[in-house]
Amino acid sequence: MSNNILLKFAKKGINLSPDAYAKVMQSDNPTNFASELIVKLKSSDFKAVDLIAVDGKTIDVITGNVASSEETTSEIQKTEAEVKTDETIEPTPNKDKKEESQPKVKTDEATPNEDKKEESKSEGIVKIEDSEKVEDTKIEFKRNLEKIDVEYDFEVLQDSSNKSYTSGEIGDLITYFQSRYEKLSKILRQRPDLKMTTKVADIEDGQTTLNLILMVKEIRSTKNGHKFVEFEDDTGSISILFSNKNEELFAEAEKLVRDEVVGVIANKDNDFVIANQLIYPGVLRIQEKKMDFGVVFLSDVHIGSLTFLEDAFQKFIDWINCEFGNEEQRKIAEDIKYLIIAGDIVDGIGVYPNQDKELSIKDIRQQYDEAARFLGNIRSDIKIIITPGNHDASRLAEPQPAVPEEYAKSLYQLNNVEFVSNPAVVSLDGINVLIYHGESFNELPMAIKGLSYEKNEEMMVELLRKRHLAPIYGERTPLASELEDYLVIEHVPDIFHTGHIHINSYKKYNGIHLINSGTFQTQTEYQKIKNIEPTPAQVPVIHKGEYKLFRFID
């Protein structure tokens, strides 16, 4: 019944916090109570953002009729507040261009370990310091003043912003893994060898050949260097040996991680099962689509940080406005139709201890205001798509809902700006782009031999092979146990765009453009410790199907 209760709220765009959910389930008749509560919540003067995390106090107020809807809305908002291509292009200054503005703050002081995040214990939402109330005035931006005569064939194909619901109960976790298993099984069954499979519980005593679709439960090595992997499906578990004498198969087994779903073909001799073949969901080569426009990819701008490269970012803005660079470079800029920002547009507040010492702007809303000042002066015929990252004003647990208007009001005032979740899939005139900030990159190099931050395009390949953006549950990547696993890569994209690592990279894999868009921030303290050299102010562009790289720093 608990899932049915959650879905009742989900269908109405309401998400309950754990304590609110407990109050519903503790009522005499949870189903009737839920229906009555939904009516009262929807009939009150709430915005969509107010219903992202309705807490127990709000339910008490609503059901007790002791506060006005305006007071209740204020209470909710208060709770939430706690809560390489062969051709590299380097633009050269335009002789007629006016002198560039100097950055407000420059320092060699680096930021501390980015992994040390502070998360609300109850909601899993980044703690954000309250700022003084700002007048709700319409800001005039260049892009809002210019008439747009461009037609966009833009569609959001996947966005979990209003579909993220969980009570935190063990039943939700089971439902989450069932969703993952079912989605990936559907992909694997398209493989000829896995059209007919056997469930673990249905294996017969005399059966010698097994075709199975399984989830990895545990991986261990034997004294002789073989691998024993314990798998499971929705009927039971089974241990399978991967012999190091089969070098090719053993190398594939070395890339297995916990909680991923794969196909296994094995031989069974009594109770002993030996693997013959390991089948990852993978992606087949796709047919490349024609495009007569350009797309720019950004991430990890970190506006508000002392190490934000304002000069370089202003040069980028000038270039995309066709006011900077040589004739050929400006010609490419003229064709730009879309700009995608894959998270961490601002540096955030309270992301790690003592972050305030590393900030030039110490108010989250003012950081987004500064971001709007830059993006608001991009020419009006470019559509901007923004997803959150771990530094943005969204919950840390993935999938992350879109940055709420409450904190980024000035960005919401920009015409033709679209806010989507992390991850998200968008269609740009028929070109499908999978956008993922890349939090799972923190743990992949430790889980799979041969992967590294410096070659993050290989990590992107591995995610496509596994058809999941964050396969390992319960370790470094915070994942929400939703009723559905939104991080499964159900549909193969034309472009796969990530960030987070601060290192620009590119690879063409089975017809798919794999892009990590680097950063506009200098080296952080964490990266110094890890000996990671970022590639700041390098901007990747897919221009009419071809990859280009622009540098805006010497």
Side-chain angles (χ1 to χ4, degrees):
M1 181 178 69
S2 61
N3 285 347
N4 292 333
I5 294 292
L6 283 172
L7 287 172
K8 283 176 70 72
F9 285 95
K11 289 175 181 178
K12 298 298 182 180
I14 301 169
N15 190 19
L16 299 180
S17 68
D19 63 320
Y21 174 76
K23 288 181 181 293
V24 173
M25 299 307 295
Q26 289 166 6
S27 63
D28 293 335
N29 189 324
T31 301
N32 290 343
F33 183 76
S35 299
E36 294 172 3
L37 183 60
I38 288 169
V39 170
K40 291 181 179 180
L41 286 169
K42 297 298 286 187
S43 61
S44 299
D45 190 19
F46 293 121
K47 300 176 183 177
V49 68
D50 300 328
L51 303 177
I52 289 176
V54 176
D55 67 347
K57 292 180 181 178
T58 302
I59 289 182
D60 291 338
V61 172
I62 283 286
T63 55
N65 295 317
V66 296
S68 68
S69 60
E70 181 179 352
E71 291 169 332
T72 306
T73 301
S74 175
E75 181 68 23
I76 291 179
Q77 292 171 341
K78 181 179 178 182
T79 302
E80 287 181 346
E82 293 175 353
V83 235
K84 240 162 255 123
T85 179
D86 292 333
E87 180 186 3
T88 299
I89 302 176
E90 298 188 24
T92 54
N94 176 10
K95 293 181 181 179
D96 299 326
K97 180 77 181 73
K98 60 184 179 181
E99 183 179 351
E100 303 296 335
S101 60
Q102 294 300 313
K104 292 181 180 178
V105 181
K106 288 289 173 183
T107 179
D108 292 328
E109 193 173 10
T111 56
N113 188 337
E114 292 179 338
D115 286 333
K116 296 179 181 178
K117 305 166 194 164
E118 294 185 347
E119 188 172 347
S120 166
K121 293 180 181 178
S122 60
E123 301 293 333
I125 298 177
V126 180
K127 291 184 179 179
I128 299 170
E129 293 180 359
D130 242 346
S131 64
E132 294 181 6
K133 187 175 180 181
V134 181
E135 279 189 42
D136 187 11
T137 56
K138 185 83 171 178
I139 303 173
E140 289 191 347
F141 298 105
K142 176 179 180 179
R143 63 178 297 109
N144 289 4
L145 296 175
E146 296 176 351
K147 183 180 179 181
I148 301 171
D149 56 2
V150 176
E151 291 187 6
Y152 303 98
D153 182 6
F154 173 78
E155 185 180 358
V156 179
L157 302 179
Q158 178 185 325
D159 185 339
S160 62
S161 296
N162 297 315
K163 302 175 184 177
S164 181
Y165 307 99
T166 179
S167 68
E169 290 189 341
I170 188 65
D172 290 352
L173 186 61
I174 293 170
T175 303
Y176 170 81
F177 278 112
Q178 286 176 335
S179 171
R180 176 184 295 195
Y181 180 80
E182 289 168 3
K183 286 184 176 186
L184 290 169
S185 293
K186 183 178 179 181
I187 295 171
L188 284 162
R189 287 195 183 95
Q190 296 174 14
R191 303 291 293 269
D193 293 335
L194 297 173
K195 286 188 181 296
M196 299 294 293
T197 59
T198 304
K199 292 288 188 180
V200 170
D202 296 332
I203 298 174
E204 298 177 355
D205 291 339
Q207 193 169 350
T208 57
T209 301
L210 305 179
N211 291 35
L212 307 162
I213 296 177
L214 303 165
M215 180 178 287
V216 179
K217 186 176 181 180
E218 186 181 353
I219 305 169
R220 61 185 187 275
S221 297
T222 70
K223 291 187 296 184
N224 297 323
H226 307 299
K227 280 194 179 297
F228 254 120
V229 182
E230 186 176 358
F231 293 98
E232 60 184 343
D233 62 14
D234 50 353
T235 68
S237 61
I238 184 172
S239 292
I240 301 179
L241 175 71
F242 289 82
S243 173
N244 57 18
K245 294 179 180 179
N246 187 337
E247 295 181 2
E248 186 176 344
L249 178 60
F250 190 80
E252 286 297 295
E254 291 262 79
K255 297 178 182 178
L256 285 171
V257 298
R258 285 194 305 103
D259 307 319
E260 70 171 309
V261 179
V262 295
V264 181
I265 297 176
N267 286 338
K268 180 176 175 289
D269 184 6
N270 294 322
D271 293 330
F272 201 63
V273 183
I274 302 175
N276 284 335
Q277 188 178 354
L278 182 60
I279 302 173
Y280 286 92
V283 294
L284 300 176
R285 179 170 292 277
I286 65 169
Q287 184 175 356
E288 297 180 47
K289 300 173 183 174
K290 293 182 179 180
M291 56 185 294
D292 60 357
F293 58 93
V295 185
V296 172
F297 301 88
L298 296 181
S299 66
D300 301 275
V301 184
H302 289 281
I303 293 169
S305 168
L306 289 170
T307 50
F308 165 54
L309 295 169
E310 182 175 339
D311 258 359
F313 196 65
Q314 184 58 56
K315 286 181 181 179
F316 160 72
I317 299 293
D318 292 339
W319 166 75
I320 206 171
N321 284 336
C322 308
E323 298 171 351
F324 182 78
N326 60 35
E327 183 178 355
E328 180 185 355
Q329 293 154 11
R330 292 189 199 182
K331 239 177 135 49
I332 293 173
E334 289 175 1
D335 293 329
I336 301 302
K337 192 172 182 180
Y338 298 96
L339 165 61
I340 300 179
I341 304 175
D344 287 1
I345 188 172
V346 299
D347 204 53
I349 303 291
V351 181
Y352 50 80
N354 301 315
Q355 185 190 11
D356 59 310
K357 298 177 182 178
E358 313 296 334
L359 295 173
S360 62
I361 303 174
K362 300 184 179 183
D363 181 285
I364 188 67
R365 292 175 177 85
Q366 290 177 16
Q367 288 183 8
Y368 282 113
D369 286 346
E370 183 73 350
R373 182 178 71 82
F374 283 108
L375 300 184
N377 284 306
I378 291 177
R379 65 180 210 258
S380 296
D381 59 342
I382 296 177
K383 182 178 285 291
I384 302 173
I385 300 101
I386 300 175
T387 73
N390 57 299
H391 281 251
D392 282 297
S394 182
R395 75 176 187 187
L396 289 178
E398 296 178 353
Q400 292 179 282
V403 176
E405 185 175 1
E406 178 185 358
Y407 301 112
K409 186 171 292 185
S410 53
L411 279 174
Y412 272 82
Q413 290 179 5
L414 296 176
N415 295 338
N416 293 336
V417 172
E418 305 284 344
F419 293 88
V420 293
S421 64
N422 169 45
V425 180
V426 297
S427 174
L428 313 179
D429 290 28
I431 304 298
N432 293 342
V433 184
L434 169 58
I435 313 166
Y436 175 56
H437 181 63
E439 184 80 6
S440 68
F441 290 162
N442 290 339
E443 60 193 350
L444 284 177
M446 293 180 290
I448 301 175
K449 190 184 299 183
L451 295 183
S452 67
Y453 297 126
E454 290 75 14
K455 293 186 177 180
N456 53 71
E457 71 277 8
E458 297 302 329
M459 289 197 277
M460 298 173 73
V461 169
E462 200 58 41
L463 295 182
L464 286 173
R465 292 181 74 233
K466 298 178 186 302
R467 295 293 288 267
H468 200 284
L469 295 170
I472 306 172
Y473 188 93
E475 293 189 11
R476 295 169 67 88
T477 306
L479 299 175
S481 53
E482 304 288 351
L483 302 181
E484 181 179 348
D485 188 348
Y486 295 108
L487 277 75
V488 173
I489 305 173
E490 295 188 74
H491 305 287
V492 180
D494 301 297
I495 301 172
F496 182 15
H497 175 208
T498 63
H500 190 60
I501 299 300
H502 292 206
I503 296 176
N504 183 280
S505 66
Y506 173 79
K507 182 171 184 169
K508 194 81 164 287
Y509 174 71
N510 284 355
I512 306 167
H513 297 278
L514 310 184
I515 298 172
N516 190 299
S517 46
T519 183
F520 268 89
Q521 184 182 39
T522 56
Q523 189 181 42
T524 67
E525 190 64 30
Y526 174 73
Q527 290 169 337
K528 287 180 181 179
I529 294 170
K530 294 289 185 179
N531 198 28
I532 298 172
E533 290 287 343
T535 57
Q538 296 185 12
V539 177
V541 177
I542 298 294
H543 177 246
K544 297 183 177 180
E546 296 294 325
Y547 175 79
K548 307 287 184 183
L549 184 66
F550 286 72
R551 290 191 176 97
F552 296 93
I553 193 171
D554 296 332

Short mmCIF file of all heavy atoms in Angstrom, two decimals, residues 326-354:
data_model
loop_
_atom_site.label_atom_id
_atom_site.label_comp_id
_atom_site.label_asym_id
_atom_site.label_seq_id
_atom_site.Cartn_x
_atom_site.Cartn_y
_atom_site.Cartn_z
N ASN A 326 38.64 35.49 -34.91
CA ASN A 326 38.84 35.81 -36.33
C ASN A 326 37.56 35.50 -37.12
O ASN A 326 36.56 35.05 -36.58
CB ASN A 326 40.05 35.05 -36.89
CG ASN A 326 39.90 33.54 -36.79
OD1 ASN A 326 38.80 33.01 -36.92
ND2 ASN A 326 41.01 32.85 -36.56
N GLU A 327 37.62 35.72 -38.41
CA GLU A 327 36.42 35.60 -39.25
C GLU A 327 35.84 34.19 -39.23
O GLU A 327 34.63 33.99 -39.11
CB GLU A 327 36.75 36.00 -40.69
CG GLU A 327 35.54 35.99 -41.61
CD GLU A 327 35.88 36.44 -43.02
OE1 GLU A 327 37.03 36.86 -43.25
OE2 GLU A 327 34.98 36.38 -43.89
N GLU A 328 36.73 33.20 -39.33
CA GLU A 328 36.26 31.80 -39.33
C GLU A 328 35.60 31.43 -38.00
O GLU A 328 34.56 30.77 -37.97
CB GLU A 328 37.43 30.87 -39.60
CG GLU A 328 37.04 29.40 -39.61
CD GLU A 328 38.23 28.47 -39.76
OE1 GLU A 328 39.36 28.97 -39.93
OE2 GLU A 328 38.04 27.24 -39.67
N GLN A 329 36.20 31.89 -36.91
CA GLN A 329 35.67 31.58 -35.59
C GLN A 329 34.33 32.27 -35.35
O GLN A 329 33.43 31.70 -34.72
CB GLN A 329 36.71 31.97 -34.53
CG GLN A 329 37.96 31.11 -34.61
CD GLN A 329 39.20 31.80 -34.07
OE1 GLN A 329 39.11 32.87 -33.45
NE2 GLN A 329 40.36 31.22 -34.32
N ARG A 330 34.20 33.49 -35.83
CA ARG A 330 32.92 34.19 -35.69
C ARG A 330 31.84 33.53 -36.55
O ARG A 330 30.66 33.52 -36.17
CB ARG A 330 33.07 35.65 -36.10
CG ARG A 330 33.93 36.47 -35.18
CD ARG A 330 33.83 37.93 -35.55
NE ARG A 330 34.94 38.69 -35.02
CZ ARG A 330 35.07 39.99 -35.17
NH1 ARG A 330 34.16 40.68 -35.85
NH2 ARG A 330 36.10 40.63 -34.65
N LYS A 331 32.26 32.98 -37.68
CA LYS A 331 31.30 32.30 -38.56
C LYS A 331 30.70 31.09 -37.84
O LYS A 331 29.50 30.81 -37.94
CB LYS A 331 32.00 31.86 -39.84
CG LYS A 331 31.41 32.43 -41.11
CD LYS A 331 32.20 31.99 -42.31
CE LYS A 331 31.31 31.54 -43.45
NZ LYS A 331 30.24 32.45 -43.77
N ILE A 332 31.55 30.37 -37.12
CA ILE A 332 31.06 29.24 -36.33
C ILE A 332 30.10 29.74 -35.25
O ILE A 332 29.04 29.14 -35.02
CB ILE A 332 32.23 28.46 -35.72
CG1 ILE A 332 33.04 27.78 -36.83
CG2 ILE A 332 31.73 27.43 -34.71
CD1 ILE A 332 34.31 27.12 -36.36
N ALA A 333 30.46 30.85 -34.60
CA ALA A 333 29.61 31.41 -33.56
C ALA A 333 28.23 31.78 -34.10
O ALA A 333 27.21 31.62 -33.41
CB ALA A 333 30.28 32.63 -32.93
N GLU A 334 28.18 32.26 -35.32
CA GLU A 334 26.90 32.64 -35.94
C GLU A 334 25.95 31.45 -36.05
O GLU A 334 24.73 31.62 -36.01
CB GLU A 334 27.14 33.23 -37.33
CG GLU A 334 27.79 34.61 -37.32
CD GLU A 334 28.11 35.10 -38.72
OE1 GLU A 334 27.81 34.36 -39.69
OE2 GLU A 334 28.68 36.21 -38.85
N ASP A 335 26.51 30.25 -36.16
CA ASP A 335 25.68 29.05 -36.34
C ASP A 335 25.22 28.43 -35.03
O ASP A 335 24.46 27.46 -35.04
CB ASP A 335 26.45 27.99 -37.14
CG ASP A 335 26.71 28.43 -38.59
OD1 ASP A 335 25.87 29.17 -39.13
OD2 ASP A 335 27.74 28.02 -39.16
N ILE A 336 25.69 28.97 -33.89
CA ILE A 336 25.33 28.39 -32.61
C ILE A 336 23.84 28.63 -32.33
O ILE A 336 23.36 29.75 -32.38
CB ILE A 336 26.18 28.97 -31.46
CG1 ILE A 336 27.66 28.70 -31.70
CG2 ILE A 336 25.73 28.37 -30.12
CD1 ILE A 336 28.02 27.24 -31.86
N LYS A 337 23.15 27.55 -32.02
CA LYS A 337 21.71 27.63 -31.77
C LYS A 337 21.36 27.24 -30.34
O LYS A 337 20.36 27.71 -29.78
CB LYS A 337 20.98 26.71 -32.75
CG LYS A 337 19.47 26.90 -32.80
CD LYS A 337 18.88 26.09 -33.95
CE LYS A 337 17.37 26.30 -34.05
NZ LYS A 337 16.78 25.52 -35.17
N TYR A 338 22.20 26.38 -29.73
CA TYR A 338 21.93 25.90 -28.38
C TYR A 338 23.19 25.96 -27.53
O TYR A 338 24.30 25.76 -28.03
CB TYR A 338 21.43 24.45 -28.39
CG TYR A 338 20.13 24.25 -29.12
CD1 TYR A 338 20.11 23.84 -30.46
CD2 TYR A 338 18.90 24.44 -28.47
CE1 TYR A 338 18.91 23.63 -31.13
CE2 TYR A 338 17.70 24.24 -29.14
CZ TYR A 338 17.71 23.83 -30.47
OH TYR A 338 16.53 23.64 -31.13
N LEU A 339 22.99 26.23 -26.23
CA LEU A 339 24.07 26.19 -25.25
C LEU A 339 23.60 25.32 -24.08
O LEU A 339 22.56 25.59 -23.48
CB LEU A 339 24.38 27.61 -24.74
CG LEU A 339 25.22 27.74 -23.46
CD1 LEU A 339 26.60 27.11 -23.63
CD2 LEU A 339 25.35 29.21 -23.05
N ILE A 340 24.37 24.27 -23.78
CA ILE A 340 24.01 23.36 -22.69
C ILE A 340 25.03 23.51 -21.56
O ILE A 340 26.24 23.47 -21.79
CB ILE A 340 23.99 21.90 -23.16
CG1 ILE A 340 22.96 21.72 -24.28
CG2 ILE A 340 23.66 20.96 -22.00
CD1 ILE A 340 22.89 20.30 -24.82
N ILE A 341 24.53 23.69 -20.34
CA ILE A 341 25.39 23.81 -19.16
C ILE A 341 25.07 22.63 -18.24
O ILE A 341 24.00 22.56 -17.64
CB ILE A 341 25.16 25.14 -18.43
CG1 ILE A 341 25.38 26.31 -19.40
CG2 ILE A 341 26.10 25.26 -17.23
CD1 ILE A 341 25.06 27.67 -18.82
N ALA A 342 26.05 21.70 -18.11
CA ALA A 342 25.83 20.44 -17.39
C ALA A 342 26.23 20.54 -15.92
O ALA A 342 27.03 19.76 -15.42
CB ALA A 342 26.59 19.31 -18.07
N GLY A 343 25.68 21.51 -15.22
CA GLY A 343 25.85 21.58 -13.77
C GLY A 343 26.99 22.43 -13.28
O GLY A 343 27.94 22.74 -13.99
N ASP A 344 26.88 22.83 -12.00
CA ASP A 344 27.86 23.66 -11.30
C ASP A 344 28.09 24.99 -12.00
O ASP A 344 29.23 25.44 -12.17
CB ASP A 344 29.19 22.92 -11.13
CG ASP A 344 29.11 21.82 -10.09
OD1 ASP A 344 28.03 21.63 -9.51
OD2 ASP A 344 30.13 21.15 -9.85
N ILE A 345 27.00 25.63 -12.41
CA ILE A 345 27.15 26.97 -12.99
C ILE A 345 27.62 27.95 -11.91
O ILE A 345 28.31 28.91 -12.19
CB ILE A 345 25.83 27.45 -13.63
CG1 ILE A 345 26.06 28.76 -14.39
CG2 ILE A 345 24.71 27.58 -12.61
CD1 ILE A 345 24.89 29.21 -15.21
N VAL A 346 27.27 27.67 -10.63
CA VAL A 346 27.75 28.48 -9.50
C VAL A 346 28.54 27.59 -8.55
O VAL A 346 28.51 26.36 -8.65
CB VAL A 346 26.60 29.16 -8.75
CG1 VAL A 346 25.84 30.10 -9.68
CG2 VAL A 346 25.66 28.13 -8.12
N ASP A 347 29.26 28.21 -7.62
CA ASP A 347 30.08 27.44 -6.68
C ASP A 347 29.27 26.96 -5.48
O ASP A 347 29.67 26.03 -4.78
CB ASP A 347 31.27 28.27 -6.19
CG ASP A 347 32.42 27.40 -5.72
OD1 ASP A 347 32.84 26.51 -6.49
OD2 ASP A 347 32.89 27.59 -4.59
N GLY A 348 28.11 27.59 -5.23
CA GLY A 348 27.25 27.13 -4.16
C GLY A 348 27.65 27.64 -2.78
O GLY A 348 28.64 28.36 -2.63
N ILE A 349 26.87 27.27 -1.79
CA ILE A 349 27.09 27.67 -0.40
C ILE A 349 27.01 26.41 0.47
O ILE A 349 26.10 25.61 0.33
CB ILE A 349 26.01 28.66 0.08
CG1 ILE A 349 25.97 29.91 -0.83
CG2 ILE A 349 26.23 29.05 1.53
CD1 ILE A 349 27.17 30.79 -0.73
N GLY A 350 27.99 26.24 1.37
CA GLY A 350 27.93 25.12 2.30
C GLY A 350 28.13 23.77 1.66
O GLY A 350 27.67 22.76 2.21
N VAL A 351 28.79 23.71 0.51
CA VAL A 351 29.02 22.43 -0.16
C VAL A 351 30.07 21.60 0.59
O VAL A 351 30.01 20.39 0.63
CB VAL A 351 29.45 22.64 -1.63
CG1 VAL A 351 29.68 21.32 -2.34
CG2 VAL A 351 28.38 23.45 -2.37
N TYR A 352 31.04 22.29 1.20
CA TYR A 352 32.06 21.62 2.01
C TYR A 352 32.45 22.56 3.15
O TYR A 352 32.16 23.76 3.11
CB TYR A 352 33.29 21.25 1.16
CG TYR A 352 33.83 22.38 0.32
CD1 TYR A 352 34.66 23.35 0.87
CD2 TYR A 352 33.52 22.47 -1.03
CE1 TYR A 352 35.15 24.39 0.12
CE2 TYR A 352 34.01 23.50 -1.81
CZ TYR A 352 34.83 24.46 -1.23
OH TYR A 352 35.31 25.50 -1.98
N PRO A 353 33.09 22.05 4.20
CA PRO A 353 33.43 22.90 5.36
C PRO A 353 34.31 24.08 4.98
O PRO A 353 35.22 23.96 4.17
CB PRO A 353 34.18 21.91 6.28
CG PRO A 353 33.69 20.56 5.89
CD PRO A 353 33.44 20.63 4.41
N ASN A 354 34.00 25.23 5.56
CA ASN A 354 34.78 26.46 5.38
C ASN A 354 34.81 26.95 3.93
O ASN A 354 35.73 27.67 3.53
CB ASN A 354 36.22 26.28 5.89
CG ASN A 354 36.26 25.91 7.36
OD1 ASN A 354 35.56 26.51 8.18
ND2 ASN A 354 37.06 24.91 7.70
#
